[in-house]
Amino acid sequence: MPVHMGGVHTSRRTFLSSSGFGAIVAGAWASLPAASEASPPQAMPPSAQAKLQAFDLTDVDLAESPFLHAQRATEAYLLRLQPDRMLHNFRVNAGLKPKAPVYGGWESEPTWEDINCHGHTLGHYLSACALAYRATADVRYKQRIDYIADELSACQDAAKSGLVCAFPKGAALLATHLRGEKITGVPWYTLHKVYAGLRDGAVLADSAVSRTVLLRLADWGVVATKPLSDAEFEAMLETEYGGMNEIYADLYAITGKQEYRVLAERFSQKALLQPLARGLDHLDGMHANTQIPKVVGFQRVYEATGDERYHDAARFFWKTVAHTRSFATGGHGENEHFFAMADFEKRVFSAKGSETCGQHNMLKLTRALFLQEPRAEYADYYERTLYNGILASQDPDTGMCTYFQGARPGYMKLYHTPEDSFWCCTGTGMENHVKYRDSIYFRDDQSLYVNLFIPSAVRWREKGAVLTQETSFPETPNTLLGWRVNRPVDLALKLRHPSWSRSATVLVNGKQAMRSIAPGSYIDLRRTWRDGDRVELRLTMETGVERAAAAPDIVAFTYGPLVLAGALGQDGLAPGADIIVNERRYGSYNDTPFAVPMLTGEPAALMAKIRPTSRPLEFTIPAADGRSVRLIPYHRIAHERYATYWKLSTPAA
């Protein structure tokens, strides 16, 4: 794999933005426009300093793998999209003539009777282009960011306001919302995407005009919300508002402006924060992806202020969702809502399970918590959801993405169209597949963490070192790491020993150096590394079974971190039947009768009957009628029916 020291160079500290890169620090903002009147940047309290740092995306290269394939597909899609079509309604609201017709779906029609999200795609698109630019140094992405920000600046000038929005009724909708009157829409949710896109354009792509537009928009938000009492503000937060607390915490960390800190705290809904901080789970029935961005924001407020209540809430929320509310794939919820796990049997087989946006935001939260507390538990969940949720969400042929990834037996993954179904998960999908390199490696002053086994290389510029990872994982449970160093370097290599591997063996230059029998931990390999040193990590992958305590006869089979899905073929499906426009019809598309094979027996006995075939990562399991069911990793399922969960029957039945 070629390794080079090129890319987008920067002297500023690396950080994680809300797109998933870490805690923003004041040094990340090279030059604030004078008009912002920002106070001098302030250091974060020592209690909130992260234990680890992420590597800049420019310092990580991906080699050939399904992840690089997915990134390239998304890069191509980003370049096919037309910014002027996404800007259409922004210009209309500002009183300017649009330059191109608006896109379809959520960008032009109400998505439900009482909700619209016009304009959200533009924000996601800005974030995705910023990530793509940071990862590839392709100037076309920066040019698009600057063009969009210039257009938004023109909208601000024309409207004589810092507000830029695309939803129907424009500023009047927000004014009604701020007065506490009933509205049709989720304006703050949509604006959060625009704020985040401008932030990412400014920080990741060094877009000066994005900084200017963002600060003008941020100051508009301060002025617009200032008249609200605390009770009025909290009532406003009963309507979905995305991660507005995260954005203002970022802005406070960047600028030191106290008004931004105040607004970050006000946008942190106390009705959710307070019970979570006390360790109380009141999530049953709540809209899942309304809550997760708030909790990502709680963690950012903690990082920016040092207030432990926010961290306690974020940590407890993660624990209850990841450990007690998640499916085998790392997804959660049914029809976008958390449900009581006592109802698992009633909910698990829905076509509307595991909203992809929810997985996207849970990984943002997981990554932020990992930086504060580097535990293998977080990395294990991240890996499981990355393979079985995020990588699994993209059509490998077209680059289009899923909304739900339900477990209805015999159903199929349904993907968005290129121009007429701009779902929330279309937007997060643009971001998901251009930031895979952001969570493979982490570091502190004297340690380099290897969290994911993905063909790649990382440059540690300060150490004069490059670590290259060669692996065919998950086809083989091994990875080979090679050092290139300018001079001998003393540091610890922290290799994740995943919870799914009974043991782990480390070889250095062909000789066994360490052995671990502690799954769910890190192997600490400390030594002086020299140019050409090679480290091999050998793991063990086995089949496993997962089930919920409330429904022990409903199981999913796994192989290492991978969920194995029954690949059930294309009977009754016309070509293109899985490309849809209307996400509300999930569960009704292609819902022709289909007989799913039945599995009979005890879970452990059935698991023992799983046999590998001659093809990598392909297995068979016997069905009750004597036929064999083909099992493959869920992330490889596309354009066919599948089953991830099975309700087992007894031999007598």
Side-chain angles (χ1 to χ4, degrees):
M1 180 187 66
V3 177
H4 57 84
M5 299 297 290
V8 182
H9 293 282
T10 177
S11 60
R12 65 194 183 196
R13 289 179 58 190
T14 311
F15 63 90
L16 226 151
S17 77
S18 82
S19 342
F21 304 113
I24 293 182
V25 295
W29 203 274
S31 59
L32 291 170
S36 71
E37 300 180 356
S39 55
Q42 300 175 355
M44 290 185 185
S47 62
Q49 292 289 349
K51 292 184 174 63
L52 297 185
Q53 293 182 39
F55 283 93
D56 196 304
L57 294 185
T58 64
D59 289 330
V60 181
D61 293 329
L62 293 184
E64 293 297 331
S65 72
F67 294 98
L68 184 55
H69 174 85
Q71 176 178 309
R72 287 170 175 160
T74 295
E75 289 171 1
Y77 181 50
L78 293 176
L79 294 175
R80 289 198 304 271
L81 290 172
Q82 300 175 42
D84 281 327
R85 297 190 68 181
M86 288 179 277
L87 285 160
H88 177 104
N89 283 325
F90 288 92
R91 290 183 62 86
V92 168
N93 280 355
L96 299 173
K97 183 179 179 180
K99 297 181 178 180
V102 67
Y103 278 122
W106 284 24
E107 287 303 312
S108 55
E109 297 293 337
T111 57
W112 294 281
E113 291 181 2
D114 59 344
I115 297 178
N116 64 68
C117 302
H118 298 185
H120 79 109
T121 301
L122 183 78
H124 285 298
Y125 183 78
L126 281 170
S127 291
C129 285
L131 289 160
Y133 173 68
R134 200 76 185 170
T136 67
D138 187 331
V139 296
R140 291 178 293 177
Y141 299 111
K142 179 173 170 52
Q143 289 167 351
R144 286 174 177 240
I145 292 165
D146 285 338
Y147 176 79
I148 290 170
D150 276 331
E151 287 291 299
L152 294 179
S153 179
C155 289
Q156 288 177 322
D157 290 343
K160 296 180 173 55
S161 169
L163 173 64
V164 283
C165 64
F167 33 81
K169 301 181 183 178
L173 176 64
L174 269 163
T176 302
H177 195 28
L178 289 164
R179 289 195 300 269
E181 299 175 21
K182 183 177 176 56
I183 62 167
T184 300
V186 284
W188 287 117
Y189 165 90
T190 306
L191 280 177
H192 166 244
K193 316 310 172 198
V194 179
Y195 275 89
L198 290 166
R199 176 209 54 208
D200 293 340
V203 177
L204 297 178
D206 299 304
S207 170
V209 65
S210 293
R211 285 195 288 271
T212 302
V213 174
L214 173 60
L215 288 171
R216 193 172 176 187
L217 176 60
D219 289 342
W220 167 86
V222 170
V223 173
T225 58
K226 200 166 189 177
L228 274 65
S229 69
D230 289 345
E232 290 169 335
F233 207 110
E234 188 72 6
M236 182 176 70
L237 299 186
E238 293 175 6
T239 298
E240 184 174 10
Y241 62 88
M244 288 300 303
N245 50 349
E246 172 204 23
I247 286 297
Y248 274 101
D250 286 345
L251 288 163
Y252 168 63
I254 290 168
T255 68
K257 194 169 182 178
Q258 287 297 323
E259 291 93 332
Y260 295 159
R261 171 177 176 161
V262 170
L263 206 46
E265 293 171 335
R266 296 192 87 190
F267 265 116
S268 295
Q269 187 185 26
K270 309 308 178 287
L272 181 66
L273 171 68
Q274 291 171 355
L276 289 175
R278 297 196 303 269
L280 301 176
D281 180 352
H282 293 166
L283 299 178
D284 287 350
M286 287 189 176
H287 185 267
N289 199 48
T290 294
Q291 316 315 319
I292 305 170
K294 299 175 189 177
V295 179
V296 173
F298 293 165
Q299 178 63 17
R300 281 297 296 125
V301 173
Y302 162 70
E303 293 165 3
T305 68
D307 189 330
E308 292 282 350
R309 294 175 304 153
Y310 293 93
H311 183 51
D312 291 344
R315 188 165 45 188
F316 175 75
F317 178 89
W318 184 90
K319 181 179 179 180
T320 190
V321 173
H323 288 325
T324 67
R325 293 182 174 275
S326 290
F327 301 119
T329 59
H332 55 264
E334 194 268 327
N335 199 20
E336 302 189 6
H337 289 70
F338 291 123
F339 57 84
M341 292 309 286
D343 295 333
F344 186 84
E345 183 170 359
K346 299 176 183 177
R347 305 282 193 152
V348 64
F349 291 122
S350 171
K352 295 185 176 183
S354 296
E355 183 189 3
T356 309
C357 274
Q359 295 166 309
H360 165 91
N361 283 312
M362 277 300 294
L363 289 193
K364 287 176 62 175
L365 177 61
T366 303
R367 192 172 185 280
L369 291 170
F370 176 80
L371 288 167
Q372 290 287 332
E373 190 176 2
R375 289 163 35 199
E377 173 187 19
Y378 290 129
D380 284 345
Y381 173 83
Y382 197 100
E383 176 186 57
R384 176 164 59 113
T385 308
L386 187 72
Y387 275 96
N388 303 300
I390 302 304
L391 185 60
S393 71
Q394 189 193 67
D395 176 0
D397 299 328
T398 66
M400 303 300 101
C401 297
T402 60
Y403 191 119
F404 297 107
Q405 296 184 64
R408 176 182 290 183
Y411 210 56
M412 64 192 307
K413 294 178 184 176
L414 301 175
Y415 304 105
H416 70 80
T417 64
E419 297 189 357
D420 292 301
S421 41
F422 286 98
W423 313 323
C424 51
C425 300
T426 307
T428 53
M430 293 179 191
E431 300 178 41
N432 283 332
H433 307 288
V434 287
K435 67 184 184 75
Y436 284 125
R437 63 191 73 201
D438 78 347
S439 293
I440 305 173
Y441 307 101
F442 298 90
R443 63 186 171 96
D444 59 24
D445 290 342
Q446 294 299 323
S447 304
L448 194 159
Y449 285 71
V450 179
N451 261 18
L452 297 173
F453 313 122
I454 294 175
S456 56
V458 59
R459 288 172 290 279
W460 196 340
R461 296 179 188 271
E462 296 86 348
K463 302 287 186 183
V466 175
L467 184 69
T468 300
Q469 182 172 186
E470 301 175 18
T471 182
S472 59
F473 184 86
E475 292 186 1
T476 56
N478 306 319
T479 192
L480 184 63
L481 302 156
W483 284 103
R484 282 175 41 196
V485 296
N486 296 334
R487 60 188 179 279
V489 58
D490 296 322
L491 57 85
L493 192 59
K494 300 267 196 175
L495 304 175
R496 183 171 63 94
H497 177 181
S499 58
W500 46 260
S501 179
R502 284 188 298 171
S503 63
T505 303
V506 179
L507 288 76
V508 177
N509 297 329
K511 296 181 180 179
Q512 182 170 322
M514 298 187 75
R515 180 173 170 80
S516 170
I517 53 171
S521 66
Y522 282 91
I523 301 170
D524 192 340
L525 195 60
R526 296 178 180 271
R527 59 188 291 141
T528 300
W529 300 102
R530 292 175 168 79
D531 193 56
D533 281 347
R534 292 169 74 80
V535 179
E536 184 178 1
L537 175 64
R538 296 178 179 176
L539 304 169
T540 58
M541 286 179 72
E542 301 169 307
T543 53
V545 63
E546 289 209 12
R547 48 185 173 169
D553 59 338
I554 297 175
V555 303
F557 297 106
T558 59
Y559 182 64
L562 308 177
V563 171
L564 296 178
L568 305 180
Q570 299 177 326
D571 285 356
L573 301 176
D578 52 356
I579 307 298
I580 73 171
V581 174
N582 191 333
E583 85 295 341
R584 284 168 286 178
R585 291 183 56 197
Y586 257 84
S588 60
Y589 279 103
N590 312 316
D591 198 17
T592 54
F594 181 81
V596 176
M598 181 177 294
L599 303 186
T600 302
E602 294 298 319
L606 268 173
M607 184 186 71
K609 295 178 181 178
I610 296 175
R611 296 287 183 267
T613 71
S614 59
R615 298 185 182 91
L617 296 179
E618 182 178 293
F619 305 83
T620 61
I621 189 171
D625 61 5
R627 294 181 295 171
S628 291
V629 176
R630 178 170 163 258
L631 299 176
I632 63 174
Y634 176 63
H635 73 265
R636 291 186 176 178
I637 290 284
H639 311 303
E640 69 174 309
R641 300 182 185 276
Y642 67 86
T644 51
Y645 273 97
W646 309 83
K647 183 172 175 60
L648 305 182
S649 63
T650 63

